[in-house]
Amino acid sequence: MRVLDEGKGPLFMDPDPDKAREFFRSKSRAMVDKRMSVKEAVERFVTDGCYFATGGFGANRIPTAVCHELLRQGRRGLGFSGHTTTHDFQILCAGKVFDRLDAAYIVGLEARGLSPNARRYMQSGEVQVADWSNYALAARLRAAGEGVSYGLTRSMLGTDTFTRSAAKAVECPFTGKTLCAVPALWPDVAAIHVHYADKFGNAVYKGISVADHELSRAAKHLIITTERIVDEAVIRDDPSLTSIPFYMVDAVVEVPHGSYPGNMPYLYFSDEEHLAEWMRVERDPDELERFLDKYIYGVSTFEEYVELCGGAERIEQLRKIELVEQPATPAGQGA
Amino acid sequence: MRVLDEGKGPLFMDPDPDKAREFFRSKSRAMVDKRMSVKEAVERFVTDGCYFATGGFGANRIPTAVCHELLRQGRRGLGFSGHTTTHDFQILCAGKVFDRLDAAYIVGLEARGLSPNARRYMQSGEVQVADWSNYALAARLRAAGEGVSYGLTRSMLGTDTFTRSAAKAVECPFTGKTLCAVPALWPDVAAIHVHYADKFGNAVYKGISVADHELSRAAKHLIITTERIVDEAVIRDDPSLTSIPFYMVDAVVEVPHGSYPGNMPYLYFSDEEHLAEWMRVERDPDELERFLDKYIYGVSTFEEYVELCGGAERIEQLRKIELVEQPATPAGQGA
Amino acid sequence: MAADFNTMELMICVAARYLEDGKTVAVGTGAPCAAAMLAQKTGAPSLVVIFEAGGLAPQLPEMPISVGDSRTFYRAVMAAGMVDAMSTCERGQVDYAFLGGAQIDRFGNINSTCIGEYEKPKVRFPGSGGANDFASFCWNTMIMTVHSKTRFVEKCDFITTPGYLTGAGAREAAGLPEGGPYKIVTDLAVMGFDEKTKAMTIESLHPHVDVDKVQSETGFELLVSDELGCTELPTEEELRILRDEVDPLRLVIGRS
Amino acid sequence: MAADFNTMELMICVAARYLEDGKTVAVGTGAPCAAAMLAQKTGAPSLVVIFEAGGLAPQLPEMPISVGDSRTFYRAVMAAGMVDAMSTCERGQVDYAFLGGAQIDRFGNINSTCIGEYEKPKVRFPGSGGANDFASFCWNTMIMTVHSKTRFVEKCDFITTPGYLTGAGAREAAGLPEGGPYKIVTDLAVMGFDEKTKAMTIESLHPHVDVDKVQSETGFELLVSDELGCTELPTEEELRILRDEVDPLRLVIGRS
């Protein structure tokens, strides 16, 4: 069993499971009321220079309010990772919040095209990057959640993605075959948006889990934003539905429409017009500045932001699209 | 990165992921009607000498009908594994179905005591054994389901459990620390009992998953026994609930009360009187023989077995216990 | 007389025919998803579609905008997660995956990461996403792209996603499972890979296209199959389904 | 005057006091579960109980018969799985675990696998189950058992589950995480482990028991703590709760 090859990308976080254990040993498991505002949650748990991660999938079930708040509080020097990150990434780039990045999918918004500002930021040389595949990042989180120092995948091998990562090619002790070992990743803090949670942090999301099962077990601190807070009894009535147990969670923030302008399964579709507006204003840095002043820096709560974007009426339109009563047409496209 | 130590226990199954991939490449992914009788399922998928595994947890959500059918069809020479196996193990021992065993918890029935016959069989020298911990076995299945050749845990190290397993102690390529590497395990066939499934095999269980997520992704063939078969639309109406996707499944067998005398969450508690009867008759091999003739060899369907044990009336009593309307008293115990 | 169609429609119709019934395909948004949906409505009704974020076998009501949006698990058989979806690929149960990228070389290696110096790139693209995983795990990877010299290059600036790496035997040597590029469908031709050398090979030319034309739009020397064929045109029926049922809003086919 | 109680009641009441409020405990069926339930109803109302098969923080309506039966996730905060439950232990979030076994040695190593030759054992026991994992992962493992020479042995026939292995530094050398045996509660005494040597040490004697008595029932030489204490007896209140609320059917406390 030998190390056959290794990536030369930076390893931002220590994969030592005993250090993580020491942290988790001291993390409270008491079932206490963790409700607070997004402002307080970000103040308490996201410090300059810490390593941050978002749940969901780019513009689907994302913790938008936490991303906005990071800009408002002027956080800098963060580490960041995402399997597919799109609109969340775009927001963080607009605030130059991070300068170390474990990248798997960045700067793009999938079918919507590429973010001009995120590209500018990533092309500026200001960000230290390691590249990974989506699954490699998920495997890193999974290993962390399981309390071991590395995970395994058979991808990445033979490519520059491997070379620019901090993975290692190792020989399997049973078969002699080559596997890609990826170091465990315990983010300092993660934010995940869910459908409902109780005040202790027992949380439920519906639809695909993406890598949130893994992220929620790996993050040292976890901020839950939730469409609504429910009584503990709702959780205990059907524990088969629980996605995240309270002892992983540090903050529970009620944020209705909290994934907006992203999609929230069964509740509202992504606001393609607003996302297109983001892309448009990003072409001109000055215009982006004004846009951010209006929508992020100039408001103090997420509710205000949703109001600016059309409020309840717009949400109702997005609900109809989500329920397939109306088609989801990317703005500026279609016949 | 070195192999530091290795267990000397037998490794019954090849952990080569490319051989498993070749199998899965040829396994059909067509959504076809897989309904059949338990007799047919066992005839088609469980062959003498193959490696078999059960889902659930000993006497909770177990595929009793499949275990009985293995005895009726006289299967011999099987390999077998279970994280905690109790009543399922007891049944298979009564038929001497297996002679190779990956053991984690065997011969006992937890608070109910030890099975006299299972102990006789295990003390006979007829069974080749490797010992593991429960989590190590789950980690072996998880690695298999993920298509890699080994999994990692920090347990087993330093003990005779390690020595009698086929695990290896390896040096982490990132931290230099020692981890326990456990070889992937792809059982030839597994049986899992669920709450409901459609005819294609999309299956839903409620309550704890034990290691059935991992087992269902690792098994090359999978027999689902189900309390009831539902329309495909029931599955598609809420895909967040699905536990097992159809493409893992080979047979769908409707077996109401199929975990009996084991517990089925939300439906019926374990029949402690019948389980105590098993333990009692096992003290005398002749009596056990007569017992098996009556309850297993002498019946042709699982329904007949449930009838012999009290049928609908007994199930209704167990339902009340399950719903905590009556206490669950182990037979022969209590005030 | 042949139907009228644009090159996007042509590529989608051609790609769809390679998807066999009863198989599994991992798709992204856009053209690949359209090809999979078209296949389901034509020759491969029980083709199983898988999305990397967790959507398994949805009944897609329309084209998804994201591979993680609600459409990707609309009336799915399971709304799983990325680990479950990717594990299905890694253990060998996914037959096809569609990939895209900015550059592709003769061995089907793909660049979707950057142009220029890595640390301070001239152009930064999204990176692997799930592409590297799909190309490593799935049995056959497919690419749909327009054919141009800037895209079909002698050497990728960055190999994001493995094709056959440096040629025959290289995937095995690197430790990758069996698999690799299968078909590349462009606006000019369909290319496969030579069995012996794993180099890109023209297998079928689209109408009014000759080998020289394809070669002139390619930055490396292409092989030509001994059984070079002529691409079968989209049928009226395929086009009708594609236009009326798969992409009525022309989100994908309107882009051509 | 002290209340009347049997040794099982004594052990459960004593063990329960070691479980701090706001901590997590992994339990099995029987006495450990009774101790955890008693702790929840006395000094540790927010003690979190975890079962290896996946039950997280249930509101136990009565004693489970199996660590995987419905009671273990009755009105739980989550009905998870074994990997989730064990991972919670492995990443360091579980403070206590209760273990049992047929033999235990001076370093708290436990045998629950077999007596005699492994291949054809004189007696085969269940094996590890989740015990090896709990003892490897959890910060403090606890044992409740009757005290006898056949149980407290010089050398286990088989080390199923790690205590401190061969003594100080041995866990670390084997690669096990920090953790290990914490308290052993028997019908005679409470024992801990010497900080330096990790050898079993009498910390507290039950009423009417002296060191000689404990030593005479032990197959190896015990250390005696400099601060040897006398076990505090179960209070009337503890006994009332144990008998009326925790185990009204006397499933566990009736066994003594």
Side-chain angles (χ1 to χ4, degrees):
Chain A
M1 192 185 187
R2 292 168 298 137
V3 173
L4 306 166
D5 195 5
E6 47 187 68
K8 58 184 177 183
L11 180 57
F12 299 118
M13 299 295 283
D14 190 339
D16 182 344
D18 289 308
K19 289 182 189 156
R21 276 174 64 87
E22 275 306 327
F23 174 85
F24 282 115
R25 181 177 204 169
S26 69
K27 178 169 179 157
S28 169
R29 308 95 164 81
M31 266 180 94
V32 295
D33 189 344
K34 298 167 188 166
R35 286 173 297 181
M36 60 186 81
S37 67
V38 69
K39 181 165 177 292
E40 186 182 354
V42 168
E43 280 170 357
R44 285 179 56 180
F45 299 108
V46 193
T47 53
D48 279 350
C50 78
Y51 191 103
F52 176 65
T54 46
F57 194 83
N60 307 288
R61 203 165 52 67
I62 51 169
T64 313
V66 172
C67 296
H68 283 195
E69 188 63 26
L70 288 173
L71 265 61
R72 268 196 294 273
Q73 295 193 20
R75 284 293 173 286
R76 288 299 177 102
L78 264 57
F80 181 62
S81 79
H83 40 267
T84 295
T85 51
T86 69
H87 182 57
D88 46 0
F89 188 82
Q90 181 178 33
I91 300 169
L92 298 183
C93 284
K96 296 193 176 188
V97 166
F98 61 84
D99 60 13
R100 288 160 297 144
L101 178 70
D102 283 309
Y105 181 99
I106 58 169
V107 309
L109 277 90
E110 300 190 80
R112 305 172 189 98
L114 298 171
S115 154
N117 184 64
R119 286 177 80 170
R120 277 197 298 274
Y121 190 47
M122 292 309 300
Q123 289 160 198
S124 70
E126 292 177 58
V127 183
Q128 201 190 359
V129 190
D131 264 81
W132 307 83
S133 69
N134 263 350
Y135 184 59
L137 271 188
R140 294 185 63 192
L141 297 171
R142 183 181 57 200
E146 289 165 10
V148 293
S149 49
Y150 72 100
L152 294 165
T153 170
R154 302 183 75 193
S155 55
M156 300 237 297
L157 297 163
T159 63
D160 291 322
T161 305
F162 175 87
T163 308
R164 292 300 184 167
S165 78
K168 294 178 195 283
V170 300
E171 191 183 41
C172 168
F174 296 98
T175 62
K177 298 197 170 187
T178 306
L179 293 164
C180 179
V182 294
L185 171 61
W186 287 274
D188 291 312
V189 56
I192 295 177
H193 188 64
V194 304
H195 288 81
Y196 61 92
D198 67 17
K199 64 183 175 186
F200 308 114
N202 295 299
V204 177
Y205 47 73
K206 297 176 189 179
I208 53 172
S209 56
V210 194
D212 289 355
H213 179 92
E214 292 72 25
L215 177 60
S216 63
R217 272 69 173 171
K220 290 182 174 175
H221 292 293
L222 180 56
I223 299 169
I224 293 291
T225 63
T226 176
E227 291 288 329
R228 60 195 179 97
I229 289 176
V230 297
D231 194 84
E232 177 188 359
V234 174
I235 299 291
R236 293 193 183 272
D237 280 348
D238 195 349
S240 301
L241 298 180
T242 308
S243 310
I244 301 170
F246 71 95
Y247 51 73
M248 301 312 301
V249 176
D250 296 89
V252 179
V253 185
E254 192 170 55
V255 186
H257 321 121
S259 178
Y260 178 87
N263 170 211
M264 189 65 180
Y266 308 111
L267 297 179
Y268 46 91
F269 202 73
S270 45
D271 187 340
E272 294 302 321
E273 284 177 27
H274 187 64
L275 289 170
E277 173 82 352
W278 263 89
M279 300 286 260
R280 194 186 58 72
V281 301
E282 282 192 349
R283 290 185 215 142
D284 174 1
D286 293 334
E287 202 175 344
L288 173 59
E289 203 65 35
R290 288 191 296 274
F291 179 87
L292 295 175
D293 280 344
K294 173 179 173 188
Y295 286 108
I296 297 182
Y297 296 111
V299 302
S300 54
T301 67
F302 192 74
E303 206 180 343
E304 281 180 58
Y305 168 67
V306 175
E307 271 310 312
L308 277 179
C309 295
E313 197 179 332
R314 183 63 184 145
I315 295 291
E316 177 57 22
Q317 291 164 342
L318 299 175
R319 191 187 68 82
K320 283 187 180 144
I321 298 173
E322 176 62 18
L323 299 179
V324 199
E325 292 168 14
Q326 287 178 13
T329 315
Q333 296 191 13
Chain B
M1 192 186 187
R2 292 167 299 138
V3 174
L4 305 165
D5 195 6
E6 48 187 68
K8 59 184 178 184
L11 179 58
F12 300 118
M13 299 297 282
D14 190 339
D16 183 342
D18 290 308
K19 288 183 188 155
R21 276 175 63 88
E22 275 305 328
F23 173 85
F24 283 115
R25 181 177 203 168
S26 68
K27 178 168 179 157
S28 169
R29 308 97 163 79
M31 266 181 94
V32 295
D33 189 345
K34 297 165 188 169
R35 286 173 296 179
M36 61 185 79
S37 67
V38 68
K39 181 166 176 290
E40 187 182 353
V42 169
E43 279 169 357
R44 286 181 55 182
F45 299 110
V46 193
T47 54
D48 280 350
C50 79
Y51 191 104
F52 176 66
T54 48
F57 193 84
N60 308 289
R61 203 164 53 67
I62 50 169
T64 314
V66 172
C67 296
H68 284 194
E69 189 62 27
L70 288 172
L71 266 61
R72 268 196 293 274
Q73 294 192 21
R75 283 293 172 287
R76 288 298 178 101
L78 264 57
F80 181 62
S81 80
H83 40 268
T84 295
T85 50
T86 69
H87 182 56
D88 45 0
F89 187 83
Q90 182 178 33
I91 300 169
L92 298 183
C93 284
K96 296 193 175 188
V97 166
F98 60 85
D99 61 13
R100 287 161 296 143
L101 179 70
D102 283 310
Y105 181 101
I106 58 169
V107 312
L109 277 90
E110 301 189 81
R112 304 170 189 97
L114 298 170
S115 153
N117 184 63
R119 287 179 79 171
R120 277 195 299 275
Y121 189 48
M122 292 308 300
Q123 290 161 196
S124 70
E126 291 177 59
V127 182
Q128 200 190 358
V129 189
D131 264 79
W132 307 84
S133 69
N134 263 350
Y135 185 59
L137 271 188
R140 295 184 65 191
L141 296 171
R142 183 182 56 201
E146 290 165 10
V148 293
S149 48
Y150 71 100
L152 293 166
T153 170
R154 302 184 74 194
S155 55
M156 301 239 296
L157 297 162
T159 63
D160 292 322
T161 306
F162 175 86
T163 308
R164 291 301 183 165
S165 78
K168 294 179 198 283
V170 299
E171 191 183 40
C172 169
F174 296 97
T175 63
K177 299 198 169 187
T178 305
L179 293 164
C180 180
V182 294
L185 171 62
W186 287 274
D188 291 312
V189 56
I192 295 177
H193 188 64
V194 304
H195 288 82
Y196 61 91
D198 68 17
K199 65 184 174 185
F200 308 115
N202 295 299
V204 177
Y205 47 73
K206 297 175 189 180
I208 54 173
S209 56
V210 195
D212 289 355
H213 179 92
E214 291 72 25
L215 177 59
S216 63
R217 272 68 171 172
K220 290 182 174 176
H221 292 292
L222 180 56
I223 299 170
I224 293 291
T225 63
T226 177
E227 291 287 331
R228 59 196 179 95
I229 289 176
V230 298
D231 193 84
E232 176 188 359
V234 174
I235 299 292
R236 292 193 183 272
D237 280 349
D238 196 349
S240 301
L241 299 180
T242 308
S243 311
I244 301 169
F246 71 95
Y247 51 75
M248 300 313 301
V249 176
D250 296 89
V252 179
V253 186
E254 192 170 55
V255 187
H257 320 120
S259 179
Y260 178 89
N263 171 210
M264 189 66 180
Y266 308 110
L267 297 179
Y268 45 90
F269 202 74
S270 45
D271 186 341
E272 293 303 320
E273 284 176 28
H274 187 65
L275 288 170
E277 173 82 353
W278 263 91
M279 300 287 259
R280 194 186 58 72
V281 301
E282 281 193 349
R283 289 184 215 143
D284 175 1
D286 293 336
E287 204 176 340
L288 173 60
E289 203 64 36
R290 287 191 297 275
F291 179 87
L292 295 175
D293 280 344
K294 174 179 171 187
Y295 286 108
I296 297 180
Y297 296 111
V299 302
S300 54
T301 68
F302 192 75
E303 206 181 343
E304 282 180 58
Y305 167 68
V306 176
E307 272 311 313
L308 277 178
C309 296
E313 197 178 334
R314 183 63 182 145
I315 294 293
E316 177 56 21
Q317 291 166 343
L318 299 174
R319 190 186 70 81
K320 283 186 179 144
I321 299 174
E322 176 62 17
L323 300 180
V324 201
E325 294 169 14
Q326 287 178 13
T329 315
Q333 296 189 11
Chain C
M1 201 201 118
D4 197 32
F5 48 82
N6 65 35
T7 54
M8 185 59 92
E9 290 170 332
L10 170 65
M11 289 194 289
I12 291 170
C13 291
V14 170
R17 294 181 196 143
Y18 287 103
L19 304 174
E20 276 182 59
D21 197 26
K23 301 286 185 182
T24 32
V25 58
V27 301
T29 56
C33 192
M37 288 169 78
L38 177 60
Q40 286 181 323
K41 290 168 192 287
T42 52
S46 63
L47 178 73
V48 176
V49 170
I50 290 181
F51 289 92
E52 68 181 84
L56 305 182
Q59 292 176 338
L60 291 166
E62 61 182 336
M63 302 284 250
I65 295 171
S66 158
V67 299
D69 78 29
S70 298
R71 296 337 188 207
T72 64
F73 51 95
Y74 183 79
R75 299 194 66 74
V77 301
M78 183 169 184
M82 187 182 282
V83 168
D84 212 358
M86 284 296 186
S87 293
T88 303
C89 300
E90 192 165 19
R91 69 175 174 264
Q93 286 182 293
V94 180
D95 300 289
Y96 310 102
F98 275 98
L99 306 173
Q103 296 179 324
I104 181 168
D105 71 14
R106 77 179 66 228
F107 296 115
N109 303 302
I110 294 172
N111 176 16
S112 62
T113 301
C114 63
I115 302 291
E117 188 198 343
Y118 176 79
E119 277 87 359
K120 199 180 167 187
K122 210 171 115 205
V123 187
R124 172 73 208 204
F125 295 116
S128 160
N132 183 300
D133 306 306
F134 283 149
S136 299
F137 300 152
C138 298
W139 293 103
N140 303 290
T141 53
M142 297 187 64
I143 294 161
M144 265 188 279
T145 183
V146 290
H147 213 128
S148 79
K149 257 193 158 145
T150 55
R151 207 169 274 265
F152 287 77
V153 296
E154 177 64 34
K155 191 179 179 322
C156 290
D157 284 41
F158 189 102
I159 296 182
T160 309
T161 296
Y164 292 106
L165 301 177
T166 56
R171 276 180 76 98
E172 295 82 340
L176 291 174
E178 191 186 329
Y182 176 52
K183 302 294 174 197
I184 299 178
V185 180
T186 75
D187 51 332
L188 299 181
V190 176
M191 284 150 293
F193 291 82
D194 180 61
E195 214 172 298
K196 246 196 351 230
T197 64
K198 301 298 183 190
M200 202 182 292
T201 305
I202 308 175
E203 289 185 348
S204 159
L205 294 166
H206 296 350
H208 317 302
V209 176
D210 60 19
V211 168
D212 286 350
K213 169 68 178 165
V214 180
Q215 184 59 67
S216 73
E217 296 289 349
T218 304
F220 53 85
E221 205 176 328
L222 286 163
L223 303 182
V224 179
S225 169
D226 294 340
E227 291 157 17
L228 182 66
C230 181
T231 309
E232 219 176 295
L233 295 181
T235 65
E236 294 279 3
E237 178 67 1
E238 284 169 336
L239 288 167
R240 187 193 61 74
I241 294 169
L242 177 59
R243 291 166 182 172
D244 295 355
E245 298 178 24
V246 173
D247 189 18
L249 297 172
R250 302 184 60 75
L251 301 180
V252 174
I253 60 178
R255 279 197 211 161
S256 173
Chain D
M1 199 201 115
D4 197 33
F5 48 81
N6 65 35
T7 54
M8 183 59 92
E9 290 170 331
L10 172 63
M11 289 195 289
I12 291 170
C13 289
V14 170
R17 293 181 196 144
Y18 286 104
L19 304 175
E20 276 181 60
D21 197 25
K23 301 285 185 181
T24 32
V25 58
V27 302
T29 56
C33 192
M37 289 169 78
L38 177 60
Q40 286 180 324
K41 289 167 193 286
T42 52
S46 63
L47 177 73
V48 177
V49 170
I50 289 182
F51 290 92
E52 68 182 83
L56 305 181
Q59 292 176 336
L60 291 166
E62 62 181 336
M63 302 284 251
I65 295 169
S66 158
V67 298
D69 77 30
S70 298
R71 291 350 186 200
T72 65
F73 53 95
Y74 183 79
R75 299 193 65 75
V77 301
M78 184 169 182
M82 187 183 282
V83 168
D84 213 359
M86 285 296 187
S87 293
T88 302
C89 301
E90 192 165 20
R91 71 175 170 262
Q93 286 183 294
V94 180
D95 300 289
Y96 311 103
F98 276 99
L99 306 173
Q103 296 179 323
I104 180 168
D105 70 17
R106 78 179 66 228
F107 296 115
N109 302 301
I110 295 173
N111 176 16
S112 62
T113 301
C114 63
I115 302 292
E117 186 199 343
Y118 175 80
E119 277 88 358
K120 200 181 168 188
K122 212 173 116 205
V123 187
R124 172 73 208 203
F125 295 116
S128 160
N132 183 298
D133 306 306
F134 283 149
S136 300
F137 300 153
C138 299
W139 293 103
N140 302 290
T141 54
M142 298 188 62
I143 294 163
M144 264 188 280
T145 182
V146 291
H147 212 129
S148 80
K149 258 192 153 141
T150 55
R151 204 167 277 264
F152 287 78
V153 297
E154 176 65 34
K155 189 180 180 323
C156 291
D157 284 41
F158 189 101
I159 296 181
T160 309
T161 296
Y164 292 106
L165 300 177
T166 56
R171 275 181 77 97
E172 294 82 340
L176 290 174
E178 192 186 328
Y182 176 53
K183 301 294 173 195
I184 299 180
V185 179
T186 76
D187 51 331
L188 300 181
V190 176
M191 283 149 294
F193 290 82
D194 181 60
E195 213 171 298
K196 234 173 32 209
T197 64
K198 302 298 183 189
M200 202 182 291
T201 304
I202 307 176
E203 290 186 348
S204 159
L205 295 165
H206 296 351
H208 316 303
V209 176
D210 60 18
V211 168
D212 286 352
K213 170 68 180 167
V214 181
Q215 184 60 67
S216 74
E217 295 290 349
T218 304
F220 53 85
E221 206 176 328
L222 287 163
L223 303 182
V224 180
S225 168
D226 294 342
E227 292 156 16
L228 182 66
C230 181
T231 310
E232 219 175 296
L233 295 181
T235 65
E236 294 278 3
E237 179 66 0
E238 285 170 335
L239 289 168
R240 187 193 61 74
I241 294 169
L242 178 58
R243 291 166 182 169
D244 294 354
E245 298 178 24
V246 173
D247 189 18
L249 298 171
R250 301 184 61 75
L251 301 180
V252 173
I253 59 179
R255 280 195 209 162
S256 170

